[in-house]
Amino acid sequence: MALKITFHGGAETVTGSNFLIQTDTAKAKTARGGSPDTPLSGVSRVLVDCGVEQGSEYSKRRAYEPFPYNPKEIHALVITHAHLDHVGRAPRLVREGFRGKVYMTPPTRDLAELILRDSVDILAENAKRHGLPLLYEEKDVEAFLSHVELLPYHEEREIVPGLSVYLRNTGHILGSASVRFKTAEASLAITSDIGNSPSPLLPDVEPIDDADAIVMESVYGDKHVPEKEHRVKIFKESLRRALARALTRGGQGGTIMIPAFSMERTQLMLYELSNFFSAKEIPEVPVFLDSPLAIAITNIYRKWAKEYFKKDAQQKLAKEGDILNFPFLKMTRSREESEAIAGVKGRKIIIAGAGMSHGGRIGRHEARYLPDKNSTLFIVGYQAPGSPGRILQDGGKRVRINGHEVQVRAKVETLHGWSAHADRDGLLKFAESCLPRTKTFFTALGEPSSARFLAQRIHGFLGRPAIVPMEGQSFRITKEGARFEK
Ligand SMILES: [Zn+2]
């Protein structure tokens, strides 16, 4: 039975993950006879991810473009993880007639529900501001969730006649998975985002040793991140210096602000802070997690910790109890609690969204504390050009926050190595771990330069063809690898 992949999103770009897998089921119908929601013959269509493109205005317009296939003709959808660039267009798919099952791991289901519900308000606000139609509403998110069928790691399941899927951990965020498809004739895997293993919380990315062709992510295909190994030490030392600077005589005391991405990075930071405090490596100061979304996500991490955290973390959990909590941590959910932080005297640490300082609660804290020379802002993730976070990172002395000019006297420091993505060496090491079975690699989910760089390295170091697919291109997968198809 023919196995085919078409690159509809995430080709030569980081976000908007969307791959179409097709099989010809004509020969496979006899075994099961099919069920009402699976086709008896003809072509089966399965999507992997249905994500939004993020970043530029062009991307925002793209979110409104029609799907390049008929949602009514898609038989199943597999979601690799709960980032919006992988799941953000899925409710719209349901709104436009998709009626199949949606497969994902149990933590991904919980996280996706949170992220999608959260996005409904943001979408509604955007739509109002720019006079755009609503991409989806709460009821579409509900409908999407009603289609979910949980698929834990390491369970082979036939999702349409003759085509089975198998999920493996990728160590990127809680519940993140690679997807391996198998028919009687060939197998194909899509890694989706590969984590920055080793992580203190999640198990390492698992090699895929049973796929004839693999589509790999390539976000950092050309980037070396040497700070990764020392990031905890750097974080601790920077924190100590910032806390020393925050010690003012008789005054208010400086504030340390961390605009954080609410998923994975926030939990990693809480984990490291908890370690620093229990080892008495930094002074005891209150830490505020000032983000309802990050608090809810942290609770989902706690819920699944026993099953989905790595062995070391599970042992620590059994011994110490909650490893994402510590005595000085205050979770501020309500607006009142959040506003009350300003009245807390003395040194303090605030973790709040959004990660690029372009909204959320961090703005209020930045407006108050950026003009203070005893305060510090830590940047822990990628800052898009033009975002307030990028202006701060580039040393800007004035920045526009919530519509007001703010003077920057606080120290702004970037902490590298906290990304949830493998760097170029991590990606190559992963590709190597998939040999000898894999005959062809594709490099996707990265800018053209990093996708090409990774492809060249796979070819040069591992001696395997590596293709940089373009949007809309299709390939037939066989035991010998992949063949371009018109
Ligand atoms: Zn991701």
Side-chain angles (χ1 to χ4, degrees):
M1 188 193 340
L3 179 63
K4 198 171 116 178
I5 179 167
T6 306
F7 293 84
H8 282 305
E12 298 189 293
T13 171
V14 174
T15 59
S17 179
N18 193 213
F19 307 94
L20 175 65
I21 309 297
Q22 284 171 272
T23 59
D24 185 342
T25 59
K27 291 176 200 159
K29 65 175 180 179
T30 45
R32 292 188 357 165
S35 62
D37 47 6
T38 52
L40 283 175
S41 62
V43 177
S44 283
R45 296 178 191 86
V46 177
L47 284 181
V48 175
D49 287 342
C50 195
V52 287
E53 290 206 359
Q54 292 166 317
S56 66
E57 284 303 316
Y58 172 68
S59 307
K60 278 177 202 150
R61 267 204 314 278
R62 279 205 61 163
Y64 288 87
E65 280 177 8
F67 289 111
Y69 36 75
N70 182 354
K72 292 183 182 128
E73 290 173 5
I74 303 295
H75 303 108
L77 166 65
V78 184
I79 298 290
T80 60
H81 64 284
H83 275 146
L84 272 183
D85 55 330
H86 294 260
V87 70
R89 290 227 290 179
R92 192 183 149 204
L93 194 76
V94 177
R95 189 181 171 103
E96 293 185 15
F98 168 76
R99 292 291 173 266
K101 282 182 178 147
V102 187
Y103 297 89
M104 61 183 85
T105 64
T108 297
R109 191 228 164 266
D110 286 357
L111 292 170
E113 176 172 3
L114 261 185
I115 293 294
L116 290 173
R117 285 192 199 285
D118 187 67
S119 72
V120 167
D121 295 337
I122 301 166
L123 273 179
E125 230 180 83
N126 265 345
K128 213 163 113 188
R129 198 176 314 143
H130 303 292
L132 292 163
L134 278 177
L135 278 177
Y136 56 81
E137 302 164 79
E138 188 88 37
K139 66 174 171 48
D140 303 308
V141 174
E142 296 292 344
F144 165 74
L145 292 168
S146 74
H147 290 256
V148 172
E149 192 160 311
L150 298 178
L151 182 59
Y153 296 137
H154 312 141
E155 256 186 60
E156 188 90 46
R157 196 172 300 176
E158 190 180 27
I159 58 169
V160 291
L163 180 74
S164 67
V165 298
Y166 187 81
L167 304 182
R168 290 179 170 94
N169 166 50
T170 62
H172 171 59
I173 63 168
L174 183 75
S176 64
S178 65
V179 192
R180 197 266 290 124
F181 292 97
K182 194 167 81 182
T183 67
E185 282 88 36
S187 55
L188 163 74
I190 296 172
T191 64
S192 190
D193 293 346
I194 296 177
N196 193 0
S197 299
S199 144
L201 299 179
L202 303 179
D204 290 0
V205 54
E206 290 179 70
I208 300 169
D209 57 2
D210 54 0
D212 300 315
I214 296 185
V215 180
M216 275 184 68
E217 72 120 310
S218 58
V219 176
Y220 289 154
D222 59 352
K223 202 168 167 216
H224 180 46
V225 188
E227 297 91 347
K228 184 178 100 174
E229 287 160 42
H230 311 292
R231 71 177 186 196
V232 176
K233 196 168 156 254
I234 297 169
F235 183 32
K236 186 166 45 190
E237 283 164 5
S238 299
L239 210 49
R240 275 191 188 144
R241 278 197 300 273
L243 283 166
R245 199 177 314 117
L247 201 59
T248 57
R249 211 171 291 161
Q252 165 78 18
T255 296
I256 290 149
M257 296 165 278
I258 311 180
F261 297 88
S262 48
M263 210 184 306
E264 195 68 16
R265 213 148 328 171
T266 293
Q267 290 73 37
L268 285 175
M269 294 235 143
L270 290 179
Y271 173 76
E272 299 303 350
L273 283 169
S274 156
N275 287 339
F276 298 160
F277 283 125
S278 62
K280 301 200 181 309
E281 290 175 318
I282 56 170
E284 297 178 0
V285 299
V287 177
F288 296 91
L289 180 57
D290 189 28
S291 157
L293 182 64
I295 295 168
I297 290 170
T298 304
N299 286 334
I300 291 175
Y301 267 68
R302 287 197 179 108
K303 174 181 166 186
W304 293 105
K306 274 201 185 113
E307 277 173 73
Y308 284 82
F309 278 11
K310 72 195 291 183
K311 283 273 155 344
D312 296 0
Q314 286 186 17
Q315 280 163 4
K316 207 164 151 43
L317 197 72
K319 218 164 69 192
E320 297 170 21
D322 193 349
I323 55 174
L324 298 179
N325 203 354
F326 44 90
F328 323 106
L329 177 64
K330 292 184 177 57
M331 310 254 193
T332 45
R333 265 185 205 83
S334 70
R335 205 176 164 81
E336 294 73 39
E337 285 175 309
S338 172
E339 279 167 5
I341 296 172
V344 175
K345 287 237 170 347
R347 298 179 291 176
K348 55 188 172 287
I349 299 171
I350 303 171
I351 304 172
M356 297 187 206
S357 302
H358 55 288
R361 289 182 177 180
I362 195 70
R364 195 157 29 81
H365 302 301
E366 287 176 337
R368 176 178 283 267
Y369 299 116
L370 279 177
D372 169 30
K373 66 178 174 41
N374 296 108
S375 292
T376 302
L377 181 94
F378 284 127
I379 288 175
V380 295
Y382 173 72
Q383 306 294 312
S387 65
R390 181 62 169 266
I391 292 163
L392 289 165
Q393 186 175 38
D394 291 345
K397 290 293 162 218
R398 300 188 78 82
V399 64
R400 224 176 154 72
I401 305 273
N402 295 339
H404 299 282
E405 281 280 307
V406 175
Q407 205 171 12
V408 184
R409 286 194 206 89
K411 186 173 165 62
V412 177
E413 193 178 335
T414 301
L415 300 177
H416 295 282
W418 288 86
S419 161
H421 288 270
D423 73 353
R424 67 178 193 203
D425 295 337
L427 290 172
L428 192 67
K429 204 171 120 200
F430 173 82
E432 195 177 1
S433 74
C434 303
L435 301 179
R437 171 74 183 255
T438 305
K439 308 294 184 310
T440 306
F441 288 89
F442 294 93
T443 56
L445 299 170
E447 296 296 328
S449 55
S450 41
R452 274 199 287 274
F453 193 79
L454 179 63
Q456 280 161 9
R457 292 186 93 210
I458 288 174
H459 188 240
F461 288 107
L462 309 180
R464 291 287 194 276
I467 300 165
V468 184
M470 288 193 292
E471 192 172 311
Q473 279 187 338
S474 298
F475 296 84
R476 180 171 288 244
I477 310 299
T478 66
K479 284 243 172 329
E480 283 69 50
R483 209 174 57 224
F484 179 67
E485 215 178 60
K486 280 199 182 132

